[in-house]
């Protein structure tokens, strides 16, 4: 059922807040527009936020009124939307000549992370701090309490899981469905040897 039609120029990406009360849409004119959906049939446009270039990725915190946007110039900006009429810029990170994607918040809303790519290498950026560079990075995942983050990485024909910036033992392949955190905070993933033998799921308790 169509509730409403929003008239906006060159929309790039759209994100709903966790409670579906806000909608953000990044547009090509260096801007992220925000709407209140308190009345879904009559969205109210709120003050927008500006970026240093076209927004390539956006995220909204699952735990509160926080909006983040990454641009094609390698800048990530985070705004507090507690007062939706006056968005407050609370953090800005810039990585020169880097592409930014995979932007997200931790479940508790206290941290943000993205993957950045520069000169053929990828690295995970957490709260503005860049981690080690790898040939590839995939599946960044936060623990349920938001205190830990893990991702799959590849370097020199080996794959591994990186937990809080520290690589775990390397495999010939880490299966695409990992790493994941269980509800009790245990990190789980499966690795494979080159001969096709699948190793037992690798588990590491961080509780």
């Amino acid at each position: 059922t169509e509730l409403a039609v929003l008239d906006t120029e060159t929309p790039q990406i759209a994100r709903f807040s966790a409670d579906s009360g806000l909608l953000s849409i990044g547009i090509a004119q260096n801007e992220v527009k925000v709407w209140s959906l308190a009345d879904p049939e009559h969205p109210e446009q709120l003050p927008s936020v500006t970026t240093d270039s076209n927004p390539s990725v956006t995220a909204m915190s699952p735990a509160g009124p926080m909006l983040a946007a990454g641009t094609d110039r390698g800048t990530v900006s985070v705004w507090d939307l507690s007062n939706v009429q006056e968005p407050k810029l609370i953090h800005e990170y810039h990585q020169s000549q880097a592409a930014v994607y995979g932007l997200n918040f931790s479940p508790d809303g206290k941290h943000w992370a993205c993957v950045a790519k520069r000169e053929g290498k990828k690295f995970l950026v957490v709260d503005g701090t860049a981690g080690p560079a790898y040939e590839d990075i995939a599946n960044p995942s936060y623990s349920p309490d938001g205190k830990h983050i893990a991702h799959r990485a590849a370097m020199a024909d080996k794959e591994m899981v990186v937990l809080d910036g520290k690589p775990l033992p390397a495999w010939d392949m880490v299966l695409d469905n990992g790493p994941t955190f269980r509800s009790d905070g245990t990190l789980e993933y499966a690795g494979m040897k080159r001969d096709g033998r699948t190793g037992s799921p690798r588990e590491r308790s961080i509780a």
Side-chain angles (χ1 to χ4, degrees), residues 102-119:
L103 179 63
N104 60 40
F105 284 93
S106 60
D108 60 5
K110 295 180 179 180
H111 307 281
W112 63 268
C114 69
V115 178
K117 181 178 181 179
R118 185 177 62 184
E119 299 177 353

Side-chain angles (χ1 to χ4, degrees), residues 48-80:
S48 60
V49 297
T50 57
T51 55
D52 68 346
S53 184
N54 294 336
S56 57
V57 62
T58 62
M60 299 195 78
S61 169
M66 304 273 283
L67 168 66
T71 73
D72 53 16
R73 287 187 179 177
T75 299
V76 176
S77 304
V78 183
W79 294 270
D80 183 350

Side-chain angles (χ1 to χ4, degrees), residues 19-205:
D19 62 1
S20 299
L22 295 174
L23 169 66
S24 68
I25 299 179
I27 63 174
Q29 284 79 19
N30 302 1
E31 186 179 13
V32 180
K33 293 189 174 183
V34 183
W35 279 266
S36 169
L37 302 180
D39 181 354
E41 295 184 2
H42 301 90
E44 176 190 0
Q45 187 168 347
L46 303 170
S48 60
V49 297
T50 57
T51 55
D52 68 346
S53 184
N54 294 336
S56 57
V57 62
T58 62
M60 299 195 78
S61 169
M66 304 273 283
L67 168 66
T71 73
D72 53 16
R73 287 187 179 177
T75 299
V76 176
S77 304
V78 183
W79 294 270
D80 183 350
L81 301 183
S82 295
N83 181 351
V84 291
Q85 297 298 332
E86 297 181 4
K88 181 180 179 182
L89 180 65
I90 59 174
H91 188 88
E92 193 165 71
Y93 166 83
H94 182 70
Q95 183 65 245
S96 178
Q97 299 180 334
V100 174
Y101 59 98
L103 179 63
N104 60 40
F105 284 93
S106 60
D108 60 5
K110 295 180 179 180
H111 307 281
W112 63 268
C114 69
V115 178
K117 181 178 181 179
R118 185 177 62 184
E119 299 177 353
K121 299 291 186 180
K122 297 180 181 180
F123 45 94
L124 188 72
V125 180
V126 180
D127 297 334
T129 299
Y134 295 94
E135 294 172 358
D136 193 25
I137 287 178
N139 297 354
S141 176
Y142 275 103
S143 60
D145 61 6
K147 294 181 178 179
H148 304 275
I149 187 168
H151 64 84
R152 184 161 50 90
M155 179 64 75
D157 296 327
K158 293 291 183 179
E159 295 188 358
M160 71 231 40
V161 166
V162 180
L163 174 62
D164 297 333
K166 298 179 181 180
L168 301 181
W171 291 73
D172 293 319
M173 179 185 294
V174 174
L175 301 190
D176 289 346
N177 61 341
T180 57
F181 284 95
R182 295 179 177 177
S183 59
D184 64 358
T186 299
L187 177 64
E188 182 178 54
Y189 64 97
M192 181 178 290
K193 298 296 184 181
R194 197 175 299 277
D195 60 7
R197 178 175 55 85
T198 302
S200 300
R202 304 281 294 183
E203 298 183 5
R204 180 180 178 90
S205 175

